[in-house]
Amino acid sequence: MKDKLMDAMQRFSKAMFIPVLILPIAGILIAVGNLFTNTRLQAVMPFLDNPFTSGFGSLLSGSLTAILTNLGIIFCVGLAVGLADKKKSEAGFISLLAFLVFINAMNRFMGIRGMLVEGSLSGTGQAMVLGVQVLDMGVFLGLMLGVVVAFVHNRFCETEFNNAFQIYGGTRFVFIVLIPVMVIMAVILTFVWPFVQSGINALGSFIQKSGNFGLFIYGTLERLLIPTGLHHLVYTPFLYTSLGGTATVGGQLLEGARNIYYAEIADEAVRLLSPSVIWDARGISKMFGLLGACLAMYHTARKENKDKIKAVLVTAAVTSFVAGVTEPIEFSFLFVAPVLFAVHAVLAGSSFVALNLIGCRAIGPNGFIDFLLYNVPLGFAKTRWPLFIVVGLVYFALYYVIFRFLIVKFNLKTLGRESEGMEMKLHSKAEYKERAAGNTSAGSKTSDEKVDAALIVGALGGKENILKVTNCYTRLRTELENTDLVDEDILKGQTGAAAVIKKGKNVQVVYGLKVTAVRKAVDQELGVTDQE
């Protein structure tokens, strides 16, 4: 039961990446659009004060804001596609139809019961979704419907009929089944959701009232869950639901730290961003803290190993600082020195508290590029972004001092402190070919300049052992028949993996930003098509 629960959570977790990873792109472009319409910036740079640039900025930010106001349908379609085992494109199309059926069924039933509020919907618990007035379920509606659609799709997408009913088989039958399911769900949730919303609001209020303690627990858990791949299940509700706070911006009631942030950066009347934005302040540990950790590992490495790990640590540190991808660094010490990972999680949690205490509302969830685009154009008044850098430098020093002390005091086997078996050791082409000749079957054509899908598949136990392959932002996620056949040494030593994580039949191989190319090559090696 434990393995099944973990498997379900991991599937849900990786499916969430489809909608979640799209939203920062929209946010960045909204920030760029606001640059061209910002009157303070136009005063400093008069050439921006013209109809062309102002119109372009207004068009860019205005068109993308629609994504933030329709998160329900975005998460519904994204989850349905991510959780579908087969025929993913059709699952996405069916989820859109199901969403439309649901909101209209709820609207009609609320009308029958006389529940529809007239006039302003602010504070009534109701909202307009795609022009239809329903209960305000926010992103939770998309989460629920996406899961239900995926479940029904996986159960019935291959159902076929004979004779005259043959046309109603396959995904068309999925839609037929979903119609009554959506109507029944709409009726039930009309009664149930007001109580659920009250509970969510109470939980959000409790966390908000817990102040700095709540921030600390939130930030610490967000890092501690990295090894399971479930960490974004912690922050997503705070970024896109009322758990992350509510605020009225420009007369519109918004929920979630990220949504509030996007709206407030566009509203020049807001002088300081809402306290809820602090839930999205994950950049301190990513941009500064782990750089200190890398420097500590380099300085404590054996003299003969420093040159070997320098390139690895520099690459990992730059990736973390610029793009916010931390796993290559974290997995370099997670398994060999877990106490460092615990310290890292605690420091990350405390950084949220530090920013809150000084009233800094700057964010850098995806590294320095995001930090610049999101915060600098707004000026000091709104975000107090220079304080973010000051706090970051303090945490750089803290990470360095604490990591170096613990590594030396307890003789922790971090990178470069063992002469053999370093997880992130770089290999020359000669070393690679020599190892491949001794550990893989003849006929491998791969060099270190491209992905060796055959080597990866072989290290995972062969084609017959691989049941499913997906990926998230940094990890190749697989479901295997027999995990004992996995050769971790080949995966980490010859294919560039930073770590290998086993959970039941699920094996996650951490490749960092190149994981998309790895997934594509592995799919080709397995003969998997997009439809599968």
Side-chain angles (χ1 to χ4, degrees):
M1 179 62 69
K2 180 180 178 181
D3 290 341
K4 289 183 178 179
L5 179 61
M6 180 60 68
D7 178 60
M9 292 180 66
Q10 288 179 334
R11 289 193 64 197
F12 181 78
S13 174
K14 64 190 178 188
M16 286 278 285
F17 271 97
I18 294 178
V20 166
L21 292 181
I22 290 297
L23 298 178
I25 299 173
I28 290 175
L29 292 177
I30 288 174
V32 171
N34 290 331
L35 284 176
F36 294 100
T37 58
N38 189 294
T39 56
R40 292 192 302 275
L41 190 62
Q42 289 173 347
V44 177
M45 302 178 181
F47 65 89
L48 291 178
D49 188 10
N50 64 81
F52 178 77
T53 55
S54 296
F56 172 76
S58 177
L59 180 64
L60 183 63
S61 58
S63 59
L64 288 167
T65 301
I67 294 177
L68 307 181
T69 57
N70 291 286
L71 290 178
I73 193 168
I74 290 172
F75 274 84
C76 175
V77 175
L79 273 178
V81 172
L83 292 173
D85 293 331
K86 298 179 180 179
K87 301 180 180 179
K88 291 179 176 290
S89 58
E90 295 176 68
F93 175 65
I94 295 298
S95 67
L96 173 61
L97 300 180
F99 191 91
L100 295 174
V101 171
F102 178 92
I103 60 174
N104 282 280
M106 174 172 278
N107 174 267
R108 292 301 178 92
F109 188 70
M110 290 173 64
I112 293 173
R113 295 188 63 212
M115 295 176 59
L116 295 175
V117 176
E118 297 182 1
S120 174
L121 300 182
S122 178
T124 65
Q126 298 182 19
M128 299 297 292
V129 178
L130 299 181
V132 181
Q133 185 175 339
V134 294
L135 292 178
D136 187 5
M137 302 174 67
V139 72
F140 289 108
L141 174 59
L143 297 177
M144 285 187 290
L145 296 190
V147 171
V148 171
V149 169
F151 176 80
V152 175
H153 174 83
N154 290 337
R155 176 67 178 82
F156 296 107
C157 70
E158 293 187 329
T159 301
E160 298 293 345
F161 299 101
N162 295 322
N163 302 323
F165 294 100
Q166 188 173 12
I167 192 175
Y168 299 111
T171 53
R172 291 171 293 279
F173 184 64
V174 172
F175 179 58
I176 293 173
V177 173
L178 280 171
I179 293 174
V181 171
M182 292 296 104
V183 172
I184 293 172
M185 283 185 63
V187 172
I188 293 175
L189 287 172
T190 301
F191 293 101
V192 173
W193 186 253
F195 299 100
V196 175
Q197 187 63 57
S198 297
I200 293 172
N201 292 336
L203 178 59
S205 298
F206 171 77
I207 294 174
Q208 293 282 349
K209 291 177 181 178
S210 62
N212 290 322
F213 176 74
L215 281 173
F216 173 75
I217 296 300
Y218 167 82
T220 302
L221 281 178
E222 194 270 331
R223 287 294 92 188
L224 283 178
L225 288 176
I226 281 284
T228 67
L230 304 177
H231 50 291
H232 62 280
L233 295 184
V234 174
Y235 65 75
T236 298
F238 287 88
L239 299 191
Y240 302 111
T241 76
S242 57
L243 286 177
T246 59
T248 300
V249 183
Q252 183 178 7
L253 182 65
L254 300 171
E255 299 179 343
R258 187 72 67 86
N259 296 334
I260 293 171
Y261 180 89
Y262 292 151
E264 289 185 339
I265 62 177
D267 190 343
E268 295 191 25
V270 179
R271 298 301 299 168
L272 179 65
L273 297 183
S274 302
S276 61
V277 174
I278 202 68
W279 297 110
D280 203 11
R282 290 169 283 146
I284 293 294
S285 62
K286 293 182 175 184
M287 293 167 54
F288 298 98
L290 288 176
L291 269 65
C294 285
L295 186 61
M297 288 189 283
Y298 175 74
H299 282 165
T300 56
R302 298 181 186 221
K303 185 177 181 180
E304 64 271 21
N305 290 329
K306 285 190 176 181
D307 289 339
K308 297 178 181 178
I309 69 167
K310 184 177 181 179
V312 176
L313 289 175
V314 168
T315 301
V318 170
T319 302
S320 179
F321 180 78
V322 174
V325 177
T326 62
E327 288 170 312
I329 301 176
E330 290 166 327
F331 282 112
S332 73
F333 59 78
L334 171 60
F335 299 107
V336 296
V339 63
L340 294 180
F341 189 77
V343 170
H344 164 49
V346 171
L347 287 172
S350 68
S351 69
F352 283 74
V353 178
L355 292 175
N356 191 47
L357 289 175
I358 63 176
C360 178
R361 296 295 178 255
I363 66 172
N366 296 305
F368 190 65
I369 295 177
D370 275 10
F371 175 79
L372 291 176
L373 290 174
Y374 280 134
N375 306 295
V376 176
L378 303 179
F380 178 81
K382 274 193 179 184
T383 65
R384 297 177 180 172
W385 64 265
L387 298 180
F388 187 95
I389 296 178
V390 173
V391 173
L393 294 175
V394 170
Y395 271 82
F396 172 86
L398 284 174
Y399 268 78
Y400 175 78
V401 172
I402 295 174
F403 268 57
R404 181 163 185 165
F405 171 77
L406 291 174
I407 291 170
V408 174
K409 177 71 174 178
F410 299 105
N411 192 26
L412 301 176
K413 303 302 181 182
T414 51
L415 287 176
R417 290 181 62 80
E418 287 183 327
S419 56
E420 301 291 341
M422 293 183 295
E423 286 190 354
M424 295 176 65
K425 180 180 183 297
L426 288 180
H427 296 276
S428 67
K429 185 177 292 188
E431 285 178 300
Y432 175 84
K433 290 182 177 180
E434 181 180 351
R435 290 195 173 210
N439 293 298
T440 63
S441 59
S444 176
K445 302 178 181 178
T446 305
S447 71
D448 55 356
E449 297 175 350
K450 62 180 181 179
V451 177
D452 187 347
L455 186 63
I456 294 173
V457 170
L460 291 171
K463 295 182 180 180
E464 296 77 11
N465 193 47
I466 300 175
L467 303 178
K468 185 184 299 183
V469 178
T470 57
N471 72 280
C472 62
Y473 196 34
T474 57
R475 309 181 189 195
L476 185 72
R477 295 173 179 253
T478 66
E479 182 179 338
L480 307 180
E481 182 68 33
N482 183 0
T483 57
D484 292 335
L485 298 179
V486 175
D487 192 326
E488 295 189 31
D489 292 336
I490 292 179
L491 289 171
K492 291 185 286 189
Q494 300 180 39
T495 73
V500 178
I501 308 163
K502 295 181 180 180
K503 292 288 184 180
K505 287 192 172 184
N506 293 284
V507 175
Q508 301 177 19
V509 189
V510 181
Y511 282 107
L513 294 177
K514 68 176 183 179
V515 69
T516 302
V518 172
R519 163 74 187 283
K520 183 177 180 181
V522 170
D523 280 348
Q524 290 177 348
E525 179 68 20
L526 295 174
V528 176
T529 64
D530 291 340
Q531 285 299 313
E532 296 173 316

